[in-house]
Amino acid sequence: MVAMMLSSGVVRAEDDAARGPVTNLPIPRYVSMKASEANIRRGPGLTHRIDWVFQHRGMPLRITAEFSNWRRVEDQDGVGGWIHYSLLSGTRTVRVLEPLVTMYSSASDSVRANAQIEGGAIARLMECEPDWCRISADGYRGWVRKQVIWGVAADEIRE
């Protein structure tokens, strides 16, 4: 797969090795919402129609394209559009996908459970191994299986 440069200067990622034309950072990549409310527009600019209003500070988003000061983002359901870069943060967060997820003291489900976290909760991403990620939420820290969270690539390793 390859990255495609559209005539508008927007890069659409069709490969994990694609780089944004503005930031030279990987596309796609994960970020979080810095603002507590953000307009998600149909195109990269204030003249474009608002399709969505995302209303949750810390919400994990995936950047799929860049144009000037605008980033094309999507949430865990694939809903998205263009957002001004100033409303985004490089702080990594994840969203819990299953109704109730157990956090463990290490990257194994055969060790002591630290806590349980409800589906839909947003947690800070700390580190990831091939199958597990360490997260932090409401003062609790622990390891969860990568497949039960959204906001991290399946092959991503974080130290």
Side-chain angles (χ1 to χ4, degrees):
M1 292 197 277
V2 229
M4 293 176 31
M5 174 76 82
L6 304 178
S7 60
S8 64
V10 172
V11 169
R12 296 234 181 248
E14 294 184 8
D15 182 78
D16 287 338
R19 296 275 175 182
V22 178
T23 63
N24 198 35
L25 293 172
I27 292 183
R29 69 180 177 275
Y30 292 91
V31 295
S32 61
M33 212 167 85
K34 186 188 309 182
S36 56
E37 184 174 287
N39 293 332
I40 307 302
R41 298 181 178 273
R42 185 156 293 183
L46 294 174
T47 58
H48 292 276
R49 185 178 117 188
I50 297 169
D51 285 335
W52 304 96
V53 178
F54 286 165
Q55 297 184 327
H56 203 291
R57 182 185 315 272
M59 182 169 128
L61 298 168
R62 180 173 37 222
I63 293 178
T64 60
E66 300 179 345
F67 180 78
S68 184
N69 292 329
W70 296 85
R71 305 295 177 261
R72 172 86 173 75
V73 297
E74 59 186 30
D75 69 5
Q76 73 187 43
D77 299 319
V79 171
W82 292 89
I83 185 173
H84 194 270
Y85 82 102
S86 66
L87 301 174
L88 299 174
S89 169
T91 300
R92 294 290 300 276
T93 60
V94 294
R95 181 163 243 157
V96 176
L97 298 173
E98 295 186 357
L100 196 60
V101 170
T102 301
M103 293 174 28
Y104 295 96
S105 58
S106 63
S108 168
D109 49 14
S110 64
V111 297
R112 179 179 60 85
N114 283 355
Q116 290 189 315
I117 186 168
E118 292 183 4
I122 293 174
R124 183 149 186 188
L125 180 64
M126 299 170 73
E127 61 184 291
C128 289
E129 294 180 354
D131 298 320
W132 292 82
C133 289
R134 187 169 181 239
I135 62 172
S136 171
D138 291 332
Y140 294 96
R141 291 181 180 189
W143 291 85
V144 297
R145 289 199 172 273
K146 199 180 277 185
Q147 66 206 30
V148 302
I149 54 176
W150 188 89
V152 63
D155 60 350
E156 186 174 349
I157 305 293
R158 286 178 55 92
E159 296 179 2

